[in-house]
Amino acid sequence: MTLLSRTDKSLLGRWWWTVDRGMLALLLSIIAFGVVLVASASPPVAERIGTGEYHFIIRHLILLLPALVIMFGLSLCDTKMVWRVALCVLAGGLLAMLMVLAFGTEVKGATRWLPVFGFSLQPSEFVKPAFIVVAAWLIARQKEVPSFAGQKWAFGLYGVVLTLLLLQPDLGMSVVVSGCFLGIIFLAGLRLRLVTALLALAIGGLALAYFCFPHVQSRIDRFIDPSSGDTFQVEKSLDAFKNGGLFGTGAGQGTVKLDIPDAHADFIFSVAGEELGLLFVLVMVLLYAAVIVRGFNRVMDSDNVFAVLATGGLLIMFGGQTLIHMGSSLAMLPTKGMTLPFISYGGSSLLSMGMAMGFVLSLTRRQARSGIARGSLSLKPVRASA
Amino acid sequence: MKGERGSALDQARGRMVIVSAVFVLAYIIVAARVVDISIIQGGFKGRDVAGYADESRDEGALLRRADITDRNGVLLARSLRTASLYVDPSMVRNAEEVAKSLVRLFPDLNYGSTLKKIQAKSRFEWLKRNLTPDEQQKVLYLGEPGLAFKDEDRRIYPQGGLTSHLVGYSSVDGNGIAGVESSFDGFLKGNNPSLALTIDVRFQHALRRELNAAMHEYKAKGAAGIVMDVRNGEILALVSLPDFDPHHAVDAKDVQKFNKATLGTYELGSVFKVFSVAAFIDSQKNPLRKAFDAREPLKRKSARPIRDYHAQERILSLPEVFIHSSNIGTALMAETMGTKTLQDYYTHFGLIGKSPLEIPEVATSRFNTPWHDVDTLSASFGHAVAVTPLQLITGVSSIINGGEKIEPTLILNDNTHQKAAKSVSERIVSPQTAHRMRQLMRLNVTDGSGKKANVPGLMVGGKTGTADKPGPGGYDHDKRLSSFVAAFPMDDPRYAVFVMLDEPTGTKNTNNFATAGWVAAPVAGEVIATIANLEGLAPRIVGQDFESTLRHLVKSEEQVREERNAQSH
């Protein structure tokens, strides 16, 4: 603590005293869990696909560094910088998504990846947080300058992103993006009637997807009636939790990773359940919940509508993705290949989450005016002076 | 402007609380679900589940099944700790390869069923029980983490099939299935050192060897034999052939597993004359003065005429009835005694009901119900009553030991003396009767049908029995049970021996006879000679013959011939 004095006015000094250090600690803890779990879960997967035992561990660690740099770098930015960066990433991302559709590599029935420097990048992962920030800015801008048709722009942008995602097709990502957009609109104070209508539309869209995409239909059928098809992954996943029990089998001793194809990514929560046991899994759930609660609580203090909406949307993305991953592996939701933020292996996911949480850290930095006045951790809405 | 932003912020904050609450709720639900799956559905497991390296840690406390020994401490059954191979299918990745290498190691394993086990949706499947250390080493060298071992006890029967019907056998899971293994299952599982049987494996070997040889020589379907200590009912040897290897009891045929000596009930024929004659001597005054008219077959209403096999066709004395095995004679005795008296004696001799032996495989004797008077006549020479060989030898032993009832036992313990003391209280025939029966049995070996059982100097006594087996519509004259009950030394009996051959056929050596005197008596003689050797019983030369006081009642063939000539003139 003596490293940076209170009065240090340097970039780093101001950062240290204004950034949400608690949130930083939470995220670093989650990342530590991730390193342990990927190290344990990935060797069998690597062996299966014929690469070296440490293939995924090394890549995870290599990508962790830029992810942390991105997160740290973005947290240094001010609000204006945040939306500029987001806008650039969005533009680049959308372009990349178009390129993916043109000459992307098809993996397991979907075209999502673009080879960059020996890594497969998934542009949609970067589009997701960038879109949230840009949409939040557009809507917030209309609040300040009513003549600016930000909402229309935001809806238009949403349409473009959704179309590109469905063309891949990537229904999971579409659901997450839609959820976040709905969340932003909800926070932005759209009339509840409109929110309900949009929700109905989203459900209708899901129903449509059920009938349009056979793999979606089959997954949902199997979720509703497990006997209707092969529920191997979910069964194995539940077995893993049962096998783990209270204390787990110990790191590296689990068996679920031997059977589930993407244990290091889509089912890493089950690996945690088996190897670390219930107690550590509860700690993990607590950490994720704390990130959400702390993030919302912190942004309460902000009097910047853009910051509030963007942070809200990003936290909804973070929390939603977490819940979908956990829900899938606990057979509470249809199986959906969703990464667990900061824990699952997956370069794009890691980098995009680094970016998203960098945005959050930046947007929740304590402002000179309000920070001192409202230092409380209360969840109660703090009313601005009328 | 500022106001609108403020109200927008207010609304956003309010709604953020809602969103936060929704997330918190969702995380609580996820946490509850994890608890539900991990602990409630998974069953509470401690840390022990983790390691597969220390599977056998808790097995140290496992009690080893107790040994079974013979009376001299020779091992009949012992449990050896061996490793049994199982698979944790969830740990195996390449099931086909594992199955292939296992089948290569153990050719007796079936590839299909082994693969099925390795692919099973469980975490435990037995693959092969009781491996040798060498086999275990080979499996370990496969280096497959899904294959693991559990220490198990394997029951070893060092004597093989020798005592298979007594010791019995136990399942691969260590539960007694038959014999003493079954009846003393609780004792053997408890923390007990060993269980000693009354069996003497040396006698057992002798009995089995002789029965086996006779069975093959006379092409008999089966054979059974018992050696009993007449003083206390201890079974020193008990054999039922064909027998089986208790290590592979599952593969044994029913006929092999069937214990003829205790579970088979047979109409044993003339050996029963020991009982009817003993009952007659015990119940009548001056029995030796009685004469029995065997000139004609005995005709009684509603029955076939009773004939003698070795028909003398003359009036016989009591010893003559016994040594010539006259059915007419014993039928006349039974008629004199009456049904009630004979039944009472048979009950006391232990022929009615079931012997109290310490194995589950004991049968209840069978007899006609209702019991007609004609059945009494048949019962006097061993028909119409089917008993186990065990009941027969126990009854004979009870008579010749001095008339004190004994009960058969297989378990050697300190209580045997008390048991013997207790049996004193039940006298079934008088000492005088017992003495007469000893003399009669000895006389039958010196002068009668049991000559081939004689062993010089050992005072062997005995009685033959050749019974036609009951077949469809009466008795089958081609299928017979030939048996011999013997005891020695007759002046102070110690051992009783019973041998039985099931459907023997005569050979050139026996002049094609398959009767007991030809096929069964020599077996008893051989067994007795071996026992005497083992026990160091020296042949004795007795000044006056033990049976001589009865000899004046038996007419020699010459006398009979002379009498016949005199009559015809």
Side-chain angles (χ1 to χ4, degrees):
Chain A
M1 289 293 154
T2 49
L3 197 65
L4 294 167
S5 110
R6 263 277 186 202
T7 52
D8 191 339
K9 293 294 180 199
S10 72
L11 187 67
L12 215 57
R14 268 185 292 136
W15 175 80
W16 176 252
W17 291 113
T18 54
V19 81
D20 185 352
R21 292 186 299 277
M23 175 74 94
L24 207 56
L26 289 173
L27 294 174
L28 289 175
S29 309
I30 291 174
I31 286 168
F33 265 107
V35 171
V36 171
L37 286 169
V38 168
S40 169
S42 68
V45 181
E47 217 167 291
R48 246 197 316 265
I49 66 168
T51 63
E53 207 179 343
Y54 302 111
H55 174 85
F56 290 115
I57 305 172
I58 291 167
R59 291 185 157 228
H60 189 76
L61 291 174
I62 286 177
L63 284 165
L64 207 51
L65 199 68
L68 285 170
V69 167
I70 289 173
M71 188 164 85
F72 176 71
L74 285 175
S75 72
L76 287 171
C77 298
D78 61 8
T79 314
K80 210 176 274 177
M81 195 64 180
V82 164
W83 86 261
R84 279 182 194 149
V85 170
L87 196 63
C88 293
V89 171
L90 184 65
L94 287 176
L95 200 69
M97 278 175 84
L98 283 169
M99 281 166 69
V100 163
L101 288 176
F103 16 73
T105 44
E106 180 168 328
V107 180
K108 295 173 198 166
T111 318
R112 297 173 190 171
W113 286 269
L114 208 62
V116 178
F117 307 127
F119 289 95
S120 299
L121 279 186
Q122 192 181 351
S124 54
E125 282 281 7
F126 299 96
V127 165
K128 186 169 51 176
F131 164 71
I132 288 166
V133 171
V134 171
W137 183 82
L138 287 169
I139 291 168
R141 182 75 181 154
Q142 193 171 13
K143 298 267 173 202
E144 298 191 7
V145 187
S147 61
F148 179 73
Q151 285 191 8
K152 275 180 195 155
W153 276 101
F155 271 97
L157 203 55
Y158 169 65
V160 171
V161 171
L162 194 67
T163 311
L164 285 173
L165 282 174
L166 289 176
L167 282 173
Q168 287 189 349
D170 192 342
L171 191 71
M173 192 81 81
S174 309
V175 168
V176 172
V177 167
S178 303
C180 297
F181 188 61
L182 207 63
I184 294 169
I185 291 169
F186 177 68
L187 292 178
L190 254 70
R191 263 166 309 204
L192 279 175
R193 211 186 310 154
L194 197 62
V195 173
T196 325
L198 280 173
L199 206 63
L201 205 69
I203 290 166
L206 269 181
L208 200 70
Y210 176 81
F211 291 109
C212 287
F213 300 112
H215 75 281
V216 175
Q217 188 167 12
S218 121
R219 278 192 189 167
I220 290 172
D221 283 350
R222 278 179 283 164
F223 173 67
I224 292 166
D225 177 15
S227 62
S228 71
D230 181 21
T231 54
F232 177 77
Q233 295 199 352
V234 175
E235 261 174 49
K236 280 287 167 191
S237 168
L238 292 181
D239 283 350
F241 283 101
K242 288 176 194 168
N243 191 27
L246 192 59
F247 300 109
T249 59
Q253 306 259 14
T255 59
V256 65
K257 60 197 182 195
L258 302 176
D259 297 312
I260 298 187
D262 282 329
H264 63 316
D266 298 347
F267 277 92
I268 198 131
F269 193 54
S270 322
V271 176
E274 185 174 28
E275 302 195 347
L276 304 181
L278 174 68
L279 295 180
F280 273 105
V281 165
L282 289 181
V283 168
M284 276 168 63
V285 172
L286 199 69
L287 285 174
Y288 278 107
V291 167
I292 302 294
V293 171
R294 192 175 174 93
F296 275 120
N297 201 20
R298 181 94 174 187
V299 86
M300 290 278 183
D301 293 350
S302 174
D303 50 9
N304 184 331
V305 180
F306 163 60
V308 167
L309 295 185
T311 308
L314 291 167
L315 289 175
I316 289 170
M317 179 190 96
F318 181 87
Q321 228 169 295
T322 308
L323 286 172
I324 290 175
H325 178 99
M326 291 177 173
S328 289
S329 60
L330 290 167
M332 301 165 83
L333 293 172
T335 319
K336 177 68 211 94
M338 188 72 69
T339 53
L340 190 58
F342 287 121
I343 286 190
S344 289
Y345 171 81
S348 306
S349 156
L350 210 53
L351 292 175
S352 109
M353 274 299 160
M355 189 169 81
M357 294 327 276
F359 288 151
V360 169
L361 285 171
S362 164
L363 294 171
T364 54
R365 273 174 74 175
R366 209 151 262 164
Q367 290 149 307
R369 285 165 301 172
S370 60
I372 299 154
R374 307 198 192 95
S376 82
L377 272 171
S378 152
L379 252 179
K380 274 182 255 163
V382 181
R383 298 206 163 267
S385 55
Chain B
M1 186 88 116
K2 183 113 181 152
E4 192 183 337
R5 205 178 75 172
S7 76
L9 276 173
D10 273 352
Q11 195 169 29
R13 289 189 181 120
R15 290 193 175 180
M16 268 198 287
V17 173
I18 297 171
V19 173
S20 278
V22 168
F23 269 108
V24 168
L25 193 68
Y27 279 111
I28 289 173
I29 291 170
V30 165
R33 173 74 172 171
V34 180
V35 173
D36 173 45
I37 299 279
S38 302
I39 300 297
I40 297 164
Q41 291 189 29
F44 186 85
K45 291 187 208 147
R47 201 168 259 289
D48 284 15
V49 209
Y52 33 86
D54 47 15
E55 286 290 354
S56 56
R57 192 177 43 189
D58 56 337
E59 310 260 324
L62 193 91
L63 289 171
R64 193 171 297 185
R65 196 172 171 84
D67 291 348
I68 300 175
T69 69
D70 87 335
R71 65 186 305 121
N72 299 317
V74 177
L75 267 186
L76 302 178
R78 164 168 282 185
S79 287
L80 289 185
R81 188 136 298 173
T82 58
S84 283
L85 175 65
Y86 70 90
V87 62
D88 176 351
S90 68
M91 298 285 299
V92 177
R93 265 190 283 153
N94 193 339
E96 282 93 354
E97 200 175 290
V98 174
K100 261 179 217 157
S101 30
L102 281 176
V103 172
R104 215 174 298 134
L105 282 184
F106 306 110
D108 54 324
L109 286 183
N110 172 291
Y111 176 76
S113 55
T114 305
L115 183 64
K116 209 171 162 189
K117 283 178 185 170
I118 297 174
Q119 289 173 333
K121 278 196 170 185
S122 75
R123 298 215 56 186
F124 188 97
E125 293 288 331
W126 282 122
L127 289 176
K128 191 168 168 60
R129 312 290 279 267
N130 304 320
L131 270 60
T132 65
D134 192 40
E135 289 171 330
Q136 185 185 15
Q137 191 64 27
K138 282 176 182 162
V139 175
L140 286 172
Y141 269 121
L142 292 179
E144 172 55 51
L147 298 177
F149 301 94
K150 237 184 159 65
D151 276 349
E152 273 199 307
D153 284 349
R154 185 186 185 190
R155 203 65 168 157
I156 303 288
Y157 302 94
Q159 304 289 338
L162 182 65
T163 55
S164 52
H165 288 108
L166 296 167
V167 172
Y169 54 95
S170 58
S171 74
V172 69
D173 292 312
N175 295 311
I177 303 288
V180 172
E181 290 272 32
S182 166
S183 52
F184 281 77
D185 199 32
F187 177 90
L188 294 168
K189 278 178 180 164
N191 192 12
N192 291 300
S194 70
L195 178 68
L197 303 189
T198 56
I199 295 298
D200 187 321
V201 287
R202 303 170 303 166
F203 295 8
Q204 183 81 7
H205 268 297
L207 182 62
R208 184 166 183 267
R209 182 188 66 212
E210 298 306 330
L211 280 174
N212 203 33
M215 188 171 91
H216 284 103
E217 185 173 356
Y218 305 117
K219 297 184 177 67
K221 260 172 57 180
I226 304 174
V227 177
M228 183 179 266
D229 187 328
V230 302
R231 301 169 304 176
N232 49 26
E234 287 178 1
I235 293 173
L236 303 170
L238 187 149
V239 171
S240 172
L241 293 175
D243 53 16
F244 61 97
D245 181 351
H247 300 110
H248 304 291
V250 192
D251 307 324
K253 295 184 192 118
D254 284 348
V255 65
Q256 290 174 285
K257 288 199 246 187
F258 185 79
N259 186 344
K260 294 182 174 65
T262 59
L263 196 55
T265 53
Y266 308 96
E267 296 181 38
L268 287 169
S270 302
V271 286
F272 253 63
K273 285 169 185 156
V274 175
F275 302 128
S276 50
V277 170
F280 185 79
I281 294 174
D282 203 56
S283 62
Q284 306 295 313
K285 283 178 182 168
N286 296 322
L288 290 177
R289 294 202 188 146
K290 298 278 187 335
F292 305 92
D293 184 355
R295 286 175 298 187
E296 297 286 328
L298 188 63
K299 284 174 188 157
R300 291 293 181 265
K301 59 174 179 179
S302 73
R304 292 182 203 185
I306 294 167
R307 298 169 191 280
D308 285 350
Y309 185 76
H310 309 278
Q312 297 289 312
E313 294 171 341
R314 61 187 174 93
I315 294 170
L316 301 172
S317 67
L318 186 143
E320 284 173 330
V321 167
F322 193 79
I323 68 169
H324 296 305
S325 201
S326 168
N327 294 344
I328 300 168
T330 53
L332 288 169
M333 290 181 196
E335 202 167 47
T336 311
M337 284 184 279
T339 299
K340 178 80 174 64
T341 309
L342 189 83
Q343 276 179 342
D344 283 351
Y345 274 100
Y346 277 18
T347 306
H348 283 129
F349 297 157
L351 302 172
I352 310 296
K354 186 173 165 180
S355 300
L357 191 68
E358 299 95 340
I359 54 174
E361 298 87 7
V362 180
T364 305
S365 62
R366 294 176 291 120
F367 42 86
N368 288 347
T369 44
W371 180 300
H372 298 291
D373 285 345
V374 66
D375 294 328
T376 306
L377 305 189
S378 301
S380 72
F381 49 90
H383 284 279
V385 180
V387 301
T388 64
L390 179 69
Q391 284 175 306
L392 184 110
I393 195 171
T394 310
V396 171
S397 299
S398 296
I399 293 168
I400 59 169
N401 69 6
E404 286 158 6
K405 180 163 185 163
I406 53 161
E407 285 180 347
T409 180
L410 258 177
I411 306 301
L412 186 74
N413 55 24
D414 297 329
N415 298 333
T416 35
H417 297 298
Q418 294 171 14
K419 221 172 175 177
K422 200 182 94 193
S423 66
V424 172
S425 58
E426 193 175 355
R427 171 161 292 286
I428 52 173
V429 291
S430 68
Q432 291 78 14
T433 305
H435 181 71
R436 284 289 179 232
M437 289 315 297
R438 292 175 182 178
Q439 285 183 307
L440 282 170
M441 284 172 74
R442 175 67 188 144
L443 191 67
N444 190 40
V445 169
T446 55
D447 297 52
S449 58
K451 291 193 187 81
K452 289 188 186 303
N454 197 29
V455 182
L458 289 180
M459 294 279 273
V460 178
K463 180 74 192 86
T464 51
T466 306
D468 292 335
K469 285 175 87 173
Y475 288 91
D476 189 332
H477 297 291
D478 290 329
K479 293 182 175 175
R480 54 178 70 83
L481 283 172
S482 295
S483 56
F484 193 79
V485 60
F488 77 100
M490 282 324 292
D491 51 348
D492 183 16
R494 170 87 193 269
Y495 301 104
V497 176
F498 174 81
V499 293
M500 176 183 94
L501 292 170
D502 187 5
E503 296 185 19
T505 48
T507 63
K508 220 178 253 178
N509 289 339
T510 66
N511 301 324
N512 291 326
F513 284 119
T515 52
W518 284 97
V519 298
V523 176
E526 292 293 344
V527 172
I528 288 166
T530 309
I531 291 175
N533 275 340
L534 291 169
E535 292 290 89
L537 300 175
R540 291 173 297 159
I541 296 162
V542 183
Q544 182 158 25
D545 284 347
F546 169 69
E547 69 285 0
S548 56
T549 51
L550 291 179
R551 192 155 275 143
H552 69 277
L553 292 168
V554 178
K555 285 172 181 156
S556 68
E557 284 178 32
E558 280 172 28
Q559 284 175 302
V560 173
R561 215 175 298 129
E562 277 170 23
E563 276 179 27
R564 290 225 166 111
N565 289 337
Q567 274 177 359
S568 59
H569 285 293

